[in-house]
Amino acid sequence: MASITSLDRAGAAEALAACSAVTKREIAAMLAELYPICRSLTGDGVRRTLSVIGRSVDLTIHEVPSGTRVFDWTVPKEWNIRDAYIKDASGRRIVDFRKSNLHVVSYSIPVRARVSRNELATHVFTLPAHPDWVPYRTCYYNEDWGFCVSHRQWLQMTEPEYEVCIDSSLEHGSLTYGEAVIQGERPQEILISCHICHPSLANDNLSGVVVATLLARHLRALRLRYSYRFLFVPGTIGSLAWLSSNEHRLARLRGGLVLAGLGDPGGFTYKRSRHGQSEIDRAATKALRDSGAQHTVIDFSPYGYDERQFCSPGFDLPVGCLMRTPHGRYPEYHTSADDLSFVKPEQIAASLFICMEIIGVLEANRVFVNLSPKGEPQLGKRGLYRAIGGDAEGREREGALLWTLNLADGRNDMLDIAERSGLPFAAVAAAAETLARHRLLKELS
Amino acid sequence: MASITSLDRAGAAEALAACSAVTKREIAAMLAELYPICRSLTGDGVRRTLSVIGRSVDLTIHEVPSGTRVFDWTVPKEWNIRDAYIKDASGRRIVDFRKSNLHVVSYSIPVRARVSRNELATHVFTLPAHPDWVPYRTCYYNEDWGFCVSHRQWLQMTEPEYEVCIDSSLEHGSLTYGEAVIQGERPQEILISCHICHPSLANDNLSGVVVATLLARHLRALRLRYSYRFLFVPGTIGSLAWLSSNEHRLARLRGGLVLAGLGDPGGFTYKRSRHGQSEIDRAATKALRDSGAQHTVIDFSPYGYDERQFCSPGFDLPVGCLMRTPHGRYPEYHTSADDLSFVKPEQIAASLFICMEIIGVLEANRVFVNLSPKGEPQLGKRGLYRAIGGDAEGREREGALLWTLNLADGRNDMLDIAERSGLPFAAVAAAAETLARHRLLKELS
Amino acid sequence: MASITSLDRAGAAEALAACSAVTKREIAAMLAELYPICRSLTGDGVRRTLSVIGRSVDLTIHEVPSGTRVFDWTVPKEWNIRDAYIKDASGRRIVDFRKSNLHVVSYSIPVRARVSRNELATHVFTLPAHPDWVPYRTCYYNEDWGFCVSHRQWLQMTEPEYEVCIDSSLEHGSLTYGEAVIQGERPQEILISCHICHPSLANDNLSGVVVATLLARHLRALRLRYSYRFLFVPGTIGSLAWLSSNEHRLARLRGGLVLAGLGDPGGFTYKRSRHGQSEIDRAATKALRDSGAQHTVIDFSPYGYDERQFCSPGFDLPVGCLMRTPHGRYPEYHTSADDLSFVKPEQIAASLFICMEIIGVLEANRVFVNLSPKGEPQLGKRGLYRAIGGDAEGREREGALLWTLNLADGRNDMLDIAERSGLPFAAVAAAAETLARHRLLKELS
């Protein structure tokens, strides 16, 4: 079984190329299968989604009954929907849930009525700035109903009266989420979380769901130091539900990533945990820098995805968020334009690769002590000095040996060494392995 | 009685407009009344000045006898002056104290003599670079005498001999300073100090005197958390005299401001305390930034006004200095050009307003603890979520709620939250008040 | 006997001018005498070099037998060489050790043979990029032999066979290094180290050897607070040999400088110790800034000279490195172009001067306590206030008095005061001396 650290030493480009042909096909297939399902905070759409994921990952499905208190919140009633439409005077379905599940405001209560255009107007949402797009709206925590239509269509709906039908149910049931654990050598855990509550929106967040699923499958095949816990949860209430029944586990959490919006064409954005300098923050920053990918690292803020919950002051967990373009910063966000044409399998594959790189850093990062700390050890007699100078690669390798020896005083981990030296993490990791093999370095236990 | 924190929530611009019409008239009247008085380190000019201030503020007048030791210094003899002139051969008063008290070097000993132009030259001070201006000079701590005249006049004084008269007295007496205390709920004090020892100079420091006086009167009308101690003291020796008899109070000093040079047309300058990051430093910096006023924040240096004494290493008090253009950085400084036309009532009113803003921050700043720290509390069920997104104000309000909840872990005060979030302090204050009202936040006692 | 701190108060420019006429002649003479000697890690060239240095400095010569273990290393056999050449078919010495000792790879084993051009090619080193220069090469720790020739000459050597002779010996002997101690008032030591193992290369490192030699002679004539230990050692193995028999001394080491490459025309480079903010780092940075000389301060890295050994994690000594252009950053580095025309006596004299300035800061730097810390002491009554303002020098002097009084709280040393105030170190030193004379300051013991 290969250790994950061999992956990043193999070189980013090759690894990516190797995995990407098959991966991209799989990504495309998974997106296509999941996209049409009408997901929400609760309901059968979520269950169906988890069952697709469960074909790739060994999932435990949790059902949390409606009414359960989770901290300051209460698990809502379960929402399901079979059909919905607006019919014109001729009885034609001019707005049809079967064409796009975005047409119905998520968590709409059942309705079946003839309503005047004026009354309908108070239940219709459009995007005047993008007249051909249908917005995505929810009314999770106040009982209401509504339709989302393109602004262009709404302007054409000039009849005085319409027939509306939402064939939904909002009843006692449960909130469903999935959890998968991949056991490593140590009980310390890395948390990977993504939200699964959005209907037919591709970037937000089928992209995160697909990355998490394939990441779990990849990790399963590797020998791992840490254990990995994957959460496929509805936003906010889902992560809170998990937190409320897993407080005993949190002390073992070494780091975590919320995955969201990983398929759009933008560069990467890593949003630091509230702590700001935890190992996951340093690992993600370094992995992104080393990857050569376009990226930005931003400070924590209490907007965004479920990092809001993991980083609330009562938990303050070392959990950051990996995205491409942040939420709300691209016009397609929360509209029908966030569709399968907006996300690209190769973007998602590259996101998966960056996740692997970050995990590669976490897995490899440790603290070493120089066993020959007085002066430099004689590298030449061990064959560790390049014979003839001049080649840049040899110089980097030698530099990594010297930096690692110099900073391996028990106070610096490998990330510290890579940061201070400016060397790629992989170069420091390779140096540390070489030096340990030559008994010049010992891991601090 | 209104709490001061309601002031900054009312919005800077309106508050300024509201108070400024009446205030500007008052400022102009106070300047006009104080300007002609011949002040110095000691003497009846200081007493007269304090009696004018005393009409607005409940002042305690302290008289410290000449010869009293204050730390390394000794209170000097009291100086008073009735008249002074230089007469030409025709007996005409060509330099006349009654026209400008700047004509006499402050603390000049009495003299009545006929002197040659050559001898007079050793007692005359001019400003060749500004030939129409009369400089301001003192000889506090070495007994001497002198006249200050415009360079143009001095060049025209070509007679071989002049009659000089300084009808002054330098005798055992006392140093006079004024003190006012406005009691708040807590014994902790904020110190506001200004120097009152300069004769007819408007910016340095009638501007500071007027701001301090009106600030005291404003504060008297408010419900205050802290107590406020105002000092109207001659420079250096006056603040030292106060310090020497108030050492027992210093442990209660939470912060302070020296007010000086607040009427000139320049932007604001806040000079940090020696500590550099005390609450007053952070409050002044944030209040200035939030105000939108042009301003600079500079580090402490041991030049300037009485912050030199408050920040000497034996005290190291959290006292900064609020100015407009720093001393010596404008050509009018310490010359007859620093007159009533140089300062503008609206500049002084705006300075007063900034002081109120800084005090508003100090009064409101406290440490809160999130009572629902695990996850975000559900703002929606409390009506704290904007119904429909889109408006910038609602977004700031919601952002302030989330930031305040997230950082209210007992380690951050409201200034920390405002600094880290980049939000105006008033937005954080409003959020904290809202959240406290909803029992989501509790002040750390 | 003059204290060294009087030197930097005398002003950099004058001191430099005063010492430079005689110094430059001496520098030129010393360079000329040392340049032709064939030095290596060991051998009589090193001994001859130390005997030249010993005429200026009271040197102790250490001989460390071949085979001695020093940490991870072993002292190598002693290498000596009498003659070497390559002869062509006509018997003419076309490559001749007697013309330049760079022609032989240092530590070449003896050889006497006729070899084909092809075989010779595996033992010949050239610099194609600089076809007229002869490279400098060594084979210290693997037994081999070789010649260095200009690329142009090598291209002209087209005969099928050559006669080669290296009349060297590589036998049990010893490693030789020199040590000089200049006793100061205190047992705490400043270490000055330079490498003496390079043959006819002027900048690397006769320049460092000459600076160290003259520095030692200068210091001997002064009253010193610290003791100074000078090491003239072969690179790496020499400093390790010294470290291995002087571990008991290291606790007394207050700071140190490795001197290397101080004669080239580039600006100064100070490379910080591994610690980065030790007193020597702050002193060197401040002395360079105050000097007005062009300079760069760079972070520690484990490449370079013997600071690599002094700053290895088992020692982590406060030792920086003073250079001009760093090693490998000028094309003449390690080639025959690093000759007597490349270094200039005035550059070396200026380097010596900077060393004196750095030492001047170390000698003068101490922690003072203000004896009149409550308020400013009255400088005027002590004649410490400039009578009439206006002159920039007086203002700096007065500013230095005020800054020194203000920051002399027992937590700041004079370097801290100079750094925070932005004043030259010499101004703070003069102020501290004046204030101590007036009993306003006391050294913290």
Side-chain angles (χ1 to χ4, degrees):
Chain A
M1 218 184 222
S3 155
I4 192 169
T5 61
S6 62
L7 184 143
D8 58 345
R9 277 205 300 287
E14 298 97 293
L16 182 55
C19 77
S20 68
V22 54
T23 305
K24 278 195 288 197
R25 248 187 330 238
E26 254 188 317
I27 289 168
M30 212 170 161
L31 286 171
E33 183 170 10
L34 290 172
Y35 183 73
I37 300 174
C38 182
R39 280 165 294 273
S40 184
L41 279 194
T42 59
D44 290 330
V46 172
R47 291 190 190 93
R48 225 156 38 239
T49 299
L50 291 172
S51 98
V52 173
I53 297 166
R55 294 206 305 265
S56 301
V57 184
D58 215 2
L59 270 193
T60 304
I61 306 297
H62 300 267
E63 299 280 354
V64 186
S66 303
T68 304
R69 292 295 308 261
V70 289
F71 306 120
D72 190 56
W73 300 64
T74 306
V75 172
K77 291 179 185 162
E78 181 175 326
W79 184 68
N80 283 291
I81 182 165
R82 281 156 298 277
D83 193 9
Y85 53 80
I86 302 175
K87 282 188 180 163
D88 64 12
S90 72
R92 200 166 48 92
R93 286 180 172 238
I94 54 174
V95 175
D96 188 352
F97 172 75
R98 295 175 311 195
K99 291 201 178 139
S100 165
N101 54 40
L102 293 182
H103 280 314
V104 177
V105 170
S106 195
Y107 258 67
S108 284
I109 55 176
V111 64
R112 192 177 295 265
R114 297 197 67 84
V115 294
S116 70
R117 192 190 188 276
N118 279 356
E119 195 191 333
L120 182 57
T122 67
H123 290 276
V124 160
F125 300 91
T126 72
L127 288 170
H130 295 283
D132 292 317
W133 297 356
V134 177
Y136 162 58
R137 287 288 157 91
T138 69
C139 58
Y140 292 151
Y141 295 100
N142 57 321
E143 302 207 345
D144 203 345
W145 61 270
F147 284 90
C148 297
V149 300
S150 77
H151 196 64
R152 196 176 306 280
Q153 178 171 23
W154 175 243
L155 293 179
Q156 289 160 359
M157 287 168 67
T158 52
E159 295 183 12
E161 208 182 63
Y162 288 94
E163 181 190 341
V164 299
C165 163
I166 299 181
D167 179 12
S168 66
S169 62
L170 186 61
E171 292 163 356
H172 186 87
S174 61
L175 173 149
T176 314
Y177 70 85
E179 185 174 19
V181 176
I182 294 163
Q183 205 63 48
E185 290 164 15
R186 304 196 182 174
Q188 286 166 293
E189 293 189 354
I190 310 293
L191 183 76
I192 307 290
S193 180
C194 59
H195 62 282
I196 52 158
C197 49
H198 286 24
S200 294
L201 296 169
N203 196 43
D204 182 18
N205 187 30
L206 286 188
S207 66
V209 169
V210 168
V211 170
T213 303
L214 295 179
L215 184 59
R217 221 191 44 195
H218 271 59
L219 291 180
R220 214 180 40 194
L222 298 170
R223 193 176 69 242
L224 298 164
R225 196 154 62 119
Y226 298 118
S227 299
Y228 289 77
R229 184 173 299 270
F230 285 78
L231 301 182
F232 299 87
V233 290
T236 307
I237 186 72
S239 54
L240 290 172
W242 180 83
L243 280 163
S244 76
S245 48
N246 287 275
E247 289 202 58
H248 62 289
R249 286 191 205 285
L250 301 181
R252 296 213 299 256
L253 193 77
R254 191 171 175 103
L257 286 176
V258 169
L259 301 182
L262 286 164
D264 69 86
F268 289 100
T269 304
Y270 176 72
K271 176 179 164 183
R272 293 187 183 97
S273 73
R274 182 178 184 269
H275 179 283
Q277 277 299 313
S278 63
E279 191 184 24
I280 183 69
D281 299 316
R282 297 161 56 227
T285 302
K286 187 66 179 147
L288 282 166
R289 190 172 308 151
D290 286 355
S291 76
Q294 196 197 328
H295 70 279
T296 320
V297 177
I298 61 176
D299 278 331
F300 176 77
S301 67
Y303 323 115
Y305 299 105
D306 279 341
E307 70 278 8
R308 294 162 65 148
Q309 310 309 325
F310 297 120
C311 294
S312 59
F315 300 121
D316 199 17
L317 299 172
V319 174
C321 177
L322 186 69
M323 308 168 268
R324 287 178 174 272
T325 309
H327 83 279
R329 298 287 179 80
Y330 49 98
E332 295 85 356
Y333 176 75
H334 278 196
T335 77
S336 57
D338 179 6
D339 63 11
L340 289 179
S341 73
F342 181 59
V343 300
K344 296 276 174 298
E346 52 267 35
Q347 300 286 93
I348 293 180
S351 299
L352 171 62
F353 177 73
I354 290 292
C355 290
M356 291 296 283
E357 289 291 284
I358 296 171
I359 288 172
V361 172
L362 289 175
E363 284 283 319
N365 189 37
R366 50 201 82 189
V367 178
F368 282 100
V369 184
N370 183 336
L371 297 174
S372 180
K374 295 183 176 180
E376 287 170 14
Q378 195 178 356
L379 298 179
K381 72 183 181 192
R382 295 174 175 89
L384 297 178
Y385 239 56
R386 72 209 134 113
I388 306 284
D391 64 309
E393 203 193 324
R395 224 176 301 127
E396 180 180 288
R397 199 160 48 232
E398 192 179 303
L401 293 172
L402 293 173
W403 272 112
T404 303
L405 284 165
N406 189 274
L407 294 179
D409 57 6
R411 281 190 304 270
N412 299 299
D413 65 15
M414 286 158 63
L415 267 168
D416 290 319
I417 298 174
E419 284 161 3
R420 180 159 175 186
S421 68
L423 290 164
F425 182 86
V428 173
E433 190 176 284
T434 300
L435 293 167
R437 204 168 53 234
H438 284 271
R439 307 250 164 89
L440 288 169
L441 232 52
K442 190 183 74 174
E443 187 176 354
L444 197 74
S445 60
Chain B
M1 216 182 221
S3 154
I4 194 171
T5 61
S6 61
L7 186 142
D8 60 345
R9 278 205 299 286
E14 300 97 293
L16 182 54
C19 77
S20 69
V22 55
T23 306
K24 277 195 287 195
R25 249 191 325 241
E26 253 188 317
I27 288 168
M30 212 171 159
L31 286 171
E33 183 171 9
L34 290 172
Y35 183 73
I37 300 174
C38 182
R39 281 164 294 274
S40 184
L41 279 194
T42 60
D44 290 329
V46 172
R47 291 190 190 93
R48 233 167 17 247
T49 299
L50 292 172
S51 96
V52 173
I53 297 166
R55 294 206 306 265
S56 301
V57 184
D58 215 4
L59 269 194
T60 304
I61 306 298
H62 299 269
E63 298 281 353
V64 186
S66 302
T68 304
R69 292 296 308 261
V70 289
F71 305 120
D72 190 56
W73 301 63
T74 306
V75 172
K77 291 179 188 162
E78 180 175 328
W79 185 67
N80 282 292
I81 181 165
R82 280 157 298 277
D83 193 11
Y85 55 79
I86 301 175
K87 281 186 181 165
D88 65 11
S90 73
R92 200 167 48 92
R93 284 177 172 241
I94 52 172
V95 175
D96 188 351
F97 172 74
R98 294 174 313 194
K99 291 199 180 142
S100 166
N101 54 40
L102 293 182
H103 279 316
V104 177
V105 170
S106 195
Y107 259 67
S108 282
I109 54 174
V111 64
R112 189 176 297 265
R114 297 196 67 84
V115 296
S116 69
R117 190 190 190 277
N118 278 355
E119 196 192 332
L120 182 57
T122 66
H123 290 277
V124 160
F125 300 92
T126 72
L127 289 169
H130 296 284
D132 292 316
W133 296 355
V134 177
Y136 162 59
R137 288 289 157 89
T138 69
C139 58
Y140 293 151
Y141 294 100
N142 57 323
E143 302 206 346
D144 202 345
W145 62 270
F147 285 90
C148 296
V149 300
S150 77
H151 197 62
R152 195 177 308 278
Q153 179 174 23
W154 176 242
L155 294 179
Q156 288 159 358
M157 286 169 65
T158 54
E159 294 182 12
E161 207 183 65
Y162 289 93
E163 183 190 339
V164 299
C165 164
I166 298 180
D167 180 12
S168 66
S169 61
L170 187 62
E171 292 164 356
H172 185 87
S174 61
L175 173 148
T176 314
Y177 70 86
E179 185 174 19
V181 177
I182 295 164
Q183 205 63 48
E185 289 164 15
R186 302 195 183 175
Q188 285 167 296
E189 293 189 354
I190 310 293
L191 184 76
I192 307 290
S193 179
C194 60
H195 62 281
I196 52 159
C197 50
H198 286 25
S200 296
L201 296 169
N203 196 43
D204 181 16
N205 189 25
L206 286 188
S207 66
V209 169
V210 168
V211 169
T213 302
L214 295 179
L215 183 60
R217 224 191 41 196
H218 271 58
L219 291 180
R220 217 180 37 193
L222 298 170
R223 194 177 67 243
L224 298 164
R225 194 154 65 119
Y226 298 119
S227 300
Y228 289 78
R229 186 173 297 271
F230 286 79
L231 300 182
F232 298 87
V233 289
T236 306
I237 186 73
S239 55
L240 290 172
W242 180 82
L243 281 163
S244 76
S245 46
N246 287 275
E247 290 202 55
H248 61 290
R249 287 191 205 285
L250 302 181
R252 297 212 299 254
L253 193 78
R254 193 172 172 104
L257 285 176
V258 169
L259 301 181
L262 286 165
D264 69 85
F268 288 100
T269 304
Y270 176 73
K271 176 178 163 183
R272 293 186 183 97
S273 72
R274 181 179 185 268
H275 179 282
Q277 278 298 313
S278 63
E279 191 185 24
I280 183 70
D281 299 316
R282 295 162 55 228
T285 302
K286 187 66 178 145
L288 282 165
R289 191 172 307 151
D290 286 354
S291 76
Q294 196 198 327
H295 70 277
T296 321
V297 177
I298 61 175
D299 278 332
F300 176 77
S301 68
Y303 323 115
Y305 298 105
D306 279 341
E307 70 278 6
R308 293 161 66 149
Q309 310 310 325
F310 298 120
C311 294
S312 59
F315 299 121
D316 200 16
L317 298 171
V319 174
C321 177
L322 186 70
M323 307 167 270
R324 286 177 174 271
T325 309
H327 84 279
R329 298 285 177 82
Y330 50 98
E332 296 84 356
Y333 175 75
H334 276 197
T335 76
S336 57
D338 179 5
D339 62 12
L340 290 179
S341 72
F342 181 59
V343 300
K344 296 276 175 294
E346 51 268 34
Q347 300 286 94
I348 293 180
S351 299
L352 171 62
F353 177 74
I354 290 292
C355 290
M356 291 295 285
E357 290 291 285
I358 296 171
I359 288 172
V361 172
L362 289 175
E363 284 283 318
N365 189 37
R366 52 201 81 191
V367 178
F368 283 100
V369 184
N370 184 335
L371 296 174
S372 180
K374 294 182 175 178
E376 288 170 15
Q378 195 179 356
L379 296 180
K381 72 181 181 193
R382 295 174 176 89
L384 297 178
Y385 239 56
R386 72 209 135 112
I388 307 285
D391 64 310
E393 204 193 322
R395 223 176 302 127
E396 182 181 287
R397 201 161 46 234
E398 192 178 303
L401 293 172
L402 292 173
W403 272 113
T404 303
L405 283 166
N406 190 274
L407 295 179
D409 57 4
R411 282 192 303 270
N412 298 300
D413 64 15
M414 286 158 60
L415 268 166
D416 290 320
I417 298 174
E419 285 161 2
R420 180 158 174 189
S421 67
L423 290 165
F425 182 85
V428 173
E433 190 176 285
T434 300
L435 293 167
R437 206 168 51 235
H438 284 272
R439 308 252 164 91
L440 287 169
L441 231 52
K442 190 183 73 172
E443 187 176 354
L444 198 74
S445 58
Chain C
M1 216 182 223
S3 155
I4 195 171
T5 60
S6 61
L7 186 143
D8 58 344
R9 278 205 299 285
E14 298 97 294
L16 181 55
C19 79
S20 70
V22 54
T23 307
K24 279 196 287 195
R25 248 187 328 238
E26 256 188 315
I27 289 167
M30 211 169 158
L31 287 170
E33 184 171 8
L34 290 173
Y35 182 73
I37 301 173
C38 182
R39 281 165 294 274
S40 185
L41 279 194
T42 58
D44 291 329
V46 172
R47 291 190 190 93
R48 228 162 27 243
T49 299
L50 291 173
S51 98
V52 172
I53 296 166
R55 295 206 304 264
S56 300
V57 184
D58 216 3
L59 270 194
T60 303
I61 306 298
H62 299 268
E63 298 281 354
V64 186
S66 302
T68 304
R69 291 296 306 262
V70 288
F71 306 120
D72 191 57
W73 300 65
T74 306
V75 172
K77 290 179 186 163
E78 181 175 325
W79 185 67
N80 282 292
I81 182 165
R82 281 156 300 276
D83 193 10
Y85 54 80
I86 302 175
K87 283 188 181 164
D88 64 12
S90 73
R92 201 165 49 89
R93 282 176 173 242
I94 53 172
V95 175
D96 188 352
F97 172 75
R98 294 175 312 193
K99 290 199 180 142
S100 165
N101 53 41
L102 294 182
H103 279 316
V104 178
V105 170
S106 196
Y107 259 68
S108 283
I109 54 175
V111 65
R112 192 176 296 264
R114 297 196 66 83
V115 294
S116 68
R117 191 191 188 277
N118 278 356
E119 194 191 335
L120 182 56
T122 68
H123 290 277
V124 160
F125 300 92
T126 71
L127 289 170
H130 296 282
D132 292 315
W133 296 356
V134 178
Y136 162 60
R137 288 287 157 91
T138 69
C139 59
Y140 293 151
Y141 295 99
N142 57 323
E143 302 206 347
D144 202 345
W145 62 270
F147 285 89
C148 297
V149 300
S150 77
H151 196 63
R152 194 175 308 278
Q153 179 172 24
W154 176 244
L155 294 178
Q156 288 158 0
M157 287 169 65
T158 52
E159 295 182 13
E161 205 182 68
Y162 288 94
E163 182 190 340
V164 299
C165 164
I166 298 181
D167 179 12
S168 66
S169 62
L170 187 61
E171 292 164 355
H172 186 85
S174 61
L175 172 149
T176 314
Y177 71 85
E179 185 173 21
V181 177
I182 295 164
Q183 205 62 48
E185 289 164 15
R186 303 195 182 174
Q188 285 165 296
E189 293 188 354
I190 309 294
L191 183 77
I192 308 291
S193 179
C194 59
H195 62 281
I196 53 160
C197 49
H198 286 25
S200 294
L201 296 170
N203 195 44
D204 182 17
N205 188 29
L206 286 187
S207 67
V209 168
V210 169
V211 169
T213 303
L214 294 179
L215 183 60
R217 221 189 46 193
H218 271 58
L219 292 179
R220 214 181 39 192
L222 297 170
R223 194 176 69 242
L224 297 164
R225 194 153 64 118
Y226 298 119
S227 299
Y228 289 77
R229 185 172 300 270
F230 286 79
L231 300 182
F232 299 87
V233 290
T236 306
I237 185 73
S239 54
L240 290 172
W242 180 82
L243 280 163
S244 76
S245 47
N246 287 275
E247 289 202 59
H248 61 290
R249 287 189 204 286
L250 301 181
R252 296 213 298 255
L253 194 77
R254 191 169 175 106
L257 286 175
V258 169
L259 301 181
L262 286 166
D264 69 85
F268 289 100
T269 304
Y270 176 72
K271 176 179 164 183
R272 293 187 182 97
S273 72
R274 181 178 185 270
H275 179 283
Q277 278 299 315
S278 63
E279 191 183 24
I280 183 69
D281 299 317
R282 297 161 58 227
T285 302
K286 187 66 179 145
L288 282 165
R289 190 173 308 153
D290 286 355
S291 76
Q294 196 198 327
H295 70 278
T296 320
V297 177
I298 60 175
D299 278 331
F300 176 78
S301 67
Y303 324 114
Y305 299 104
D306 279 340
E307 70 277 8
R308 294 163 64 149
Q309 310 310 324
F310 297 120
C311 294
S312 59
F315 300 121
D316 200 15
L317 298 172
V319 175
C321 177
L322 186 70
M323 309 168 266
R324 285 177 174 273
T325 309
H327 84 279
R329 298 286 178 80
Y330 49 99
E332 296 85 355
Y333 176 75
H334 277 197
T335 77
S336 58
D338 179 6
D339 62 12
L340 290 179
S341 73
F342 180 58
V343 300
K344 294 279 174 293
E346 51 269 32
Q347 300 286 92
I348 294 180
S351 299
L352 172 62
F353 177 73
I354 290 292
C355 290
M356 290 296 284
E357 290 291 284
I358 296 171
I359 288 173
V361 171
L362 289 174
E363 284 282 318
N365 189 36
R366 52 201 82 191
V367 178
F368 282 101
V369 184
N370 183 337
L371 297 175
S372 181
K374 294 183 175 179
E376 287 170 14
Q378 195 178 357
L379 297 180
K381 72 181 183 193
R382 294 174 176 89
L384 296 178
Y385 240 56
R386 71 206 135 113
I388 307 284
D391 64 309
E393 204 194 322
R395 225 177 301 130
E396 180 179 289
R397 201 160 46 232
E398 193 178 302
L401 293 172
L402 293 173
W403 272 112
T404 303
L405 284 166
N406 190 273
L407 295 179
D409 57 6
R411 282 191 302 268
N412 299 299
D413 65 14
M414 286 158 61
L415 268 167
D416 290 319
I417 298 175
E419 284 161 3
R420 181 159 173 187
S421 68
L423 290 164
F425 182 84
V428 172
E433 190 176 285
T434 299
L435 293 167
R437 206 166 53 233
H438 284 272
R439 309 251 163 88
L440 288 169
L441 231 54
K442 193 182 72 174
E443 187 175 354
L444 197 74
S445 59

